[in-house]
Amino acid sequence: MKQLKYWLIALGLVMSAHGVQAQDALRLGFVNTDRLLRDSAPAKAAVAKLEQEFGKREKDLQEQGARLRSLVERLERDAQVMQDTERQRRQREVGELEKDFQRKQREFREAFTERRNEEQGLLEERIKRTIRQVSEAEKLDLVLNDAVFVNPRIDITEKVIRALATVK
C-alpha cells in the first residue's frame, strides 16, 4: 500500500513537471517484475546454472542423509541386543556423523544462498537495463512495476521478455 502511495506521488510529480495537457499526454508503461524474474530467458538460464553448479552436492547430501537415517534405524533396532560399550561407541559414531551432516547442510545452504543472491543481483541489473532500453524505444515517460490494475495496452512485460532473449 505504501508503495502504491509513492507511485501515485511520483506520477503526480511527473505530471506536474510536464504540465500535462491534452496534446502532451503522459506515456505510461508497466512491467510485471515477478514474471520477468520467472519467465525470461536469463532467469531460466540462471536457474539452470545454479542447478548445474549445486546439483551434485545436493544429491550427495541427500544420499548421506539417507545413509545416516539407515544407521540410526539400525542402531535403534539392534541397541537392545548390543553390549553397552558397543552401543555407546555406535551412538558416538552416529552423533559425529549427524554433526558432520548438519555442518555440510549448513555450508551448502550458505553457499547456495550466496550464489543465488549473486545471480539474482546480476539478473535484476540486466532486467533494469532492458526495461530502460524498451522504455526509451517506446518513448515512455514512466514505467511502473507494481499496480492494483493494469490495462494490457500499457503492459510492456512481453516486449521486455523478448528483448531479454535477444540481448546478451
Side-chain angles (χ1 to χ4, degrees):
M1 198 63 170
K2 275 186 175 180
Q3 208 173 28
L4 178 60
K5 181 175 142 184
Y6 292 124
W7 283 113
L8 291 175
I9 291 170
L11 179 62
L13 289 174
V14 169
M15 289 175 71
S16 66
H18 281 291
V20 176
Q21 299 172 351
Q23 71 271 17
D24 192 21
L26 181 67
R27 292 191 33 101
L28 296 175
F30 171 80
V31 290
N32 182 334
T33 52
D34 290 337
R35 185 167 168 222
L36 293 174
L37 290 170
R38 183 187 63 236
D39 296 342
S40 67
K44 291 177 181 178
V47 168
K49 185 176 181 180
L50 288 172
E51 286 175 355
Q52 179 186 14
E53 190 174 329
F54 288 94
K56 184 181 181 324
R57 279 177 65 186
E58 183 177 28
K59 184 179 179 212
D60 290 346
L61 276 174
Q62 289 173 349
E63 289 173 358
Q64 185 178 1
R67 284 192 305 271
L68 183 60
R69 283 188 297 279
S70 173
L71 285 173
V72 168
E73 289 171 2
R74 191 172 339 139
L75 177 63
E76 289 173 354
R77 185 182 58 235
D78 298 342
Q80 300 299 330
V81 294
M82 285 185 194
Q83 294 180 354
D84 286 343
T85 56
E86 179 67 14
R87 186 178 69 246
Q88 289 173 350
R89 185 184 65 77
R90 284 198 182 174
Q91 286 173 336
R92 269 193 308 275
E93 283 178 15
V94 167
E96 289 173 14
L97 288 173
E98 282 179 337
K99 286 179 189 176
D100 184 52
F101 177 67
Q102 290 171 356
R103 179 186 53 78
K104 286 180 180 178
Q105 274 186 317
R106 185 180 61 254
E107 289 172 354
F108 173 80
R109 280 192 309 269
E110 289 171 358
F112 180 79
T113 300
E114 183 178 335
R115 280 290 295 127
R116 184 187 66 215
N117 290 344
E118 287 174 14
E119 289 294 325
Q120 180 92 13
L122 294 171
L123 178 62
E124 287 173 359
E125 283 303 313
R126 185 170 175 190
I127 287 173
K128 286 178 188 176
R129 275 194 319 273
T130 306
I131 290 171
R132 192 170 296 115
Q133 291 168 352
V134 169
S135 299
E136 290 170 358
E138 297 284 320
K139 295 180 174 45
L140 299 175
D141 297 314
L142 179 66
V143 177
L144 304 173
N145 69 349
D146 189 21
V148 175
F149 170 77
V150 175
N151 186 326
R153 177 179 57 78
I154 66 168
D155 190 349
I156 62 169
T157 305
E158 194 59 42
K159 290 177 184 176
V160 174
I161 287 175
R162 284 194 304 269
L164 282 167
T166 60
V167 175
K168 290 291 174 187

